[in-house]
Amino acid sequence: LGDLSRASRARDAITEMDLPAARKILEGADLSDGALAVEESRLRLFQGDYDAAQALLARPDLASTEEGAELSYIALGCARGMAATVLVRDAERGVDVRLQDDDDRALVPMLAEVAVKVRAQLIKDLGVELPMPLRIDLVRDQFTLAAMTGLPEEAARTTGTVAVAKWGRVTMISPRATSRGYPWLDTLAHEMTHLALSRGTRDRAPLWLQEGVAKREETRWRPPQPLD
């Protein structure tokens, strides 16, 4: 219950990753209003302010709702997973990378370089421009990946999931954390496509379309290779 019209407008802006517009809609909002408080917490989650999102969602009136409980679980997982992490910011290329392991710092320039190429390709192919900065969280294991995205850990292990695009960011397992690595730069392109489709369709694209387009786009940023 609450100001559902204002909350709906804020949610649409957040889903479209237009965070400045969402902030403007929620500016001065009375957060005793449950609907507006949920969207404020969602905005904080998209902005990477996980502690603030969790603090707001800990309120009994929000925690007792299905949506509030779901967001609270995600915010808590993100706050724990990203505690004491290293933030590497490439302002010139519009990429923010949070690292659970500082040894992954050497991967950041490659991530940023590919992100620029993928962003340009998505504008050309889909007509969707991803906002800056692109947020990437690089984690150590599937347990953290699941906790930060809401994907059940059992499903992550069964399917071999190594990355998820949700909550306005890409969360990836470090290629250094897998025994034989994985095509992590193509995976970044795949997940960025999911973000672009969510932004362009307000997350209404069916799964088959999401996966089909993402599979196509994951190699579009680079020259073809024999095994593509």
Side-chain angles (χ1 to χ4, degrees), residues 34-53:
L36 296 180
V38 165
E39 297 314 316
E40 176 68 26
S41 64
R42 192 190 312 276
L43 176 58
R44 296 297 184 99
L45 192 57
F46 270 67
Q47 290 175 323
D49 192 353
Y50 307 131
D51 290 328

Side-chain angles (χ1 to χ4, degrees), residues 66-84:
E66 182 177 353
E67 185 172 36
E70 178 189 5
L71 288 174
S72 179
Y73 175 80
I74 299 299
L76 181 60
C78 291
R80 288 174 174 173
M82 290 291 104

Side-chain angles (χ1 to χ4, degrees), residues 68-206:
E70 178 189 5
L71 288 174
S72 179
Y73 175 80
I74 299 299
L76 181 60
C78 291
R80 288 174 174 173
M82 290 291 104
T85 53
V86 178
L87 173 62
V88 183
R89 176 165 289 153
D90 188 327
E92 181 180 351
R93 290 185 279 194
V95 178
D96 285 358
V97 185
R98 292 198 200 200
L99 308 171
Q100 270 197 319
D101 188 338
D102 189 48
D103 287 343
D104 284 331
R105 188 186 293 265
L107 305 178
V108 174
M110 288 178 278
L111 287 168
E113 181 181 354
V114 172
V116 170
K117 294 178 181 179
V118 174
R119 185 184 281 123
Q121 193 66 48
L122 292 173
I123 294 172
K124 178 181 177 181
D125 291 350
L126 304 182
V128 177
E129 182 173 1
L130 287 173
M132 297 185 187
L134 172 70
R135 293 180 173 86
I136 302 172
D137 290 342
L138 209 58
V139 301
R140 293 191 189 103
D141 50 46
Q142 287 176 321
F143 175 80
T144 308
L145 177 69
M148 291 182 61
T149 60
L151 179 71
E153 185 184 0
E154 181 72 21
R157 293 188 182 281
T158 301
T159 61
T161 303
V162 292
V164 175
K166 203 169 184 180
W167 313 113
R169 66 178 187 271
V170 175
T171 305
M172 301 174 60
I173 294 176
S174 167
R176 297 174 56 251
T178 57
S179 58
R180 297 185 180 180
Y182 69 94
W184 55 290
L185 295 177
D186 285 355
T187 297
L188 173 63
H190 183 106
E191 299 304 330
M192 286 178 65
T193 306
H194 281 303
L195 290 182
L197 288 168
S198 293
R199 175 173 165 84
T201 69
R202 288 187 182 167
D203 207 21
R204 294 172 180 162

Side-chain angles (χ1 to χ4, degrees), residues 9 19-20 24 27 51 61 91 113 144 146 154 156 160 165 174-175 227:
R9 288 187 290 114
L19 304 189
K24 187 173 182 180
E27 189 174 0
D51 290 328
D61 62 317
E113 181 181 354
T144 308
E154 181 72 21
S174 167
L227 298 180

